[in-house]
Amino acid sequence: MKIKYRRFVKIISGLLIIFGVVLFLTSVFRKNIRYFVTPIQVIEENLKSHKRLRLGGVVKKNSWKKEGLNHTFVLTDGAQDIVVKHKGLLPDLFREEQTIVAEGHFEGDVFLAMQVLAKHDENYKPPLLSKSQKS
């Protein structure tokens, strides 16, 4: 009986430790993981002072200006607009009224994007099917 009791205590202790670690990690990650923030969240939560952010939204129509490799556009979530500047190449899928995520930081009221990621269309059609539907 003594051996069974020790084994039982070890199993219960191990399960409690594992449960505690999982609970701790989920609480830490829930507070700290964000894929991106929207312009309204930046304003409401005063996130302009963060060193690095991922800002997500839709490129506002008629806002994209290109001068060589310098790009300026307005990112919106429908409630708030933020001016974004990016120096470099943009992804092929980048265009106005397209959902994007820009990674960078704020300098005043302007967001300086170091990297821009464009979201592709959710309605995938194989190339052969798309060509046959156009005909």
Side-chain angles (χ1 to χ4, degrees):
M1 187 92 169
K2 204 172 190 180
I3 295 173
K4 285 184 179 181
Y5 179 72
R6 281 190 207 160
R7 189 179 301 153
F8 178 73
V9 169
K10 285 181 183 180
I11 290 172
I12 294 298
S13 300
L15 289 175
L16 285 174
I17 290 171
I18 291 171
F19 178 74
V21 168
V22 168
L23 187 65
F24 173 73
L25 290 175
T26 56
S27 69
V28 167
F29 286 139
R30 186 176 300 144
K31 293 176 188 173
N32 295 327
I33 289 184
R34 275 197 188 168
Y35 294 106
F36 62 87
V37 292
T38 61
I40 194 71
Q41 287 175 318
V42 169
I43 302 303
E44 288 177 351
E45 299 175 22
N46 197 20
L47 299 176
K48 288 186 178 181
S49 61
H50 280 60
K51 291 182 180 180
R52 199 145 179 96
L53 278 177
R54 283 185 141 194
L55 181 65
V58 176
V59 179
K60 199 169 189 177
K61 189 172 186 176
N62 301 323
S63 70
W64 182 22
K65 293 173 182 58
K66 178 182 176 183
E67 296 174 5
L69 290 178
N70 296 319
H71 303 272
T72 304
F73 54 92
V74 176
L75 198 64
T76 186
D77 60 1
Q80 187 70 38
D81 295 348
I82 292 181
V83 176
V84 178
K85 290 187 177 183
H86 175 69
K87 183 175 184 175
L89 296 175
L90 290 172
D92 292 337
L93 295 174
F94 182 91
R95 62 182 183 276
E96 293 178 342
E97 297 184 328
Q98 176 72 27
T99 303
I100 66 149
V101 175
E103 188 171 351
H105 64 278
F106 277 95
E107 264 189 25
D109 289 336
V110 176
F111 187 78
L112 300 178
M114 303 300 162
Q115 182 178 21
V116 176
L117 307 169
K119 185 178 179 220
H120 64 82
D121 188 11
E122 294 175 359
N123 302 322
Y124 174 74
K125 292 180 185 172
L128 293 176
L129 183 61
S130 331
K131 288 179 185 177
S132 66
Q133 286 181 349
K134 288 180 183 177
S135 318

